Amino acid sequence: PMGKDISADIERCYHFFPRLKERRTQQAGTLSGGEQQMLAIARALMLRPRLMLLDEPSFGLAPMITKQIFDILADVKKEAGVSMLVVEQNASLALGIADHAYLIETGEIVMAGEAQTIRDDEGVRAAYLGY
């Protein structure tokens, strides 16, 4: 039988990813791309990390699913106290969950600071956020 800690960790992942609970009897390869991304994050959370590194968590996902993933990441950060280093081309979503941000162009850091400050910068808004 599973230990209490493992069962609690699985339930915690189901809390963040209810879709995975619905799909728990399916093999991972039969899940949608968004569900597979959720599973990858949930598997990482099972290790009770203090820091997670995420490389393009939105890659290949539909915009609605991407928004859902980032909402979940924000919840994980807040509720589980997990720090995250996220590399993401969707600047708007990344800045929406970040405390601190680095803007990199052609391998050079062109701006760094609090995410809110970068999000409010007129040049960033025009060039990266589309408003």
Side-chain angles (χ1 to χ4, degrees), residues 12-13 16-17 20 36-57 69-70 72-88 97-98 100:
R12 182 174 71 135
C13 286
F16 291 121
F17 301 100
L20 293 181
Q36 287 185 25
Q37 185 67 287
M38 291 176 192
L39 181 60
I41 296 166
R43 286 179 63 190
L45 284 175
M46 290 295 293
L47 299 172
R48 297 183 184 184
R50 290 183 304 181
L51 172 67
M52 289 178 64
L53 308 176
L54 295 111
D55 185 14
E56 295 282 352
I69 296 273
F70 272 78
I72 292 166
L73 290 175
D75 289 345
V76 168
K77 183 182 116 183
K78 184 175 154 191
E79 294 179 32
V82 177
S83 296
M84 297 179 196
L85 175 61
V86 181
V87 176
E88 178 58 57
I97 69 166
H100 197 87

Side-chain angles (χ1 to χ4, degrees), residues 44-121:
L45 284 175
M46 290 295 293
L47 299 172
R48 297 183 184 184
R50 290 183 304 181
L51 172 67
M52 289 178 64
L53 308 176
L54 295 111
D55 185 14
E56 295 282 352
S58 72
F59 185 75
L61 302 180
M64 192 174 84
I65 299 298
T66 297
K67 170 90 171 80
Q68 197 175 23
I69 296 273
F70 272 78
D71 288 346
I72 292 166
L73 290 175
D75 289 345
V76 168
K77 183 182 116 183
K78 184 175 154 191
E79 294 179 32
V82 177
S83 296
M84 297 179 196
L85 175 61
V86 181
V87 176
E88 178 58 57
Q89 285 192 25
N90 187 324
S92 182
L93 281 175
L95 288 169
I97 69 166
D99 296 317
H100 197 87
Y102 296 88
L103 182 58
I104 301 173
E105 283 182 10
T106 60
E108 298 284 324
I109 296 175
V110 295
M111 185 178 270
E114 289 188 22
Q116 182 69 49
T117 303
I118 292 174
R119 191 170 41 243
D120 292 343
D121 183 273

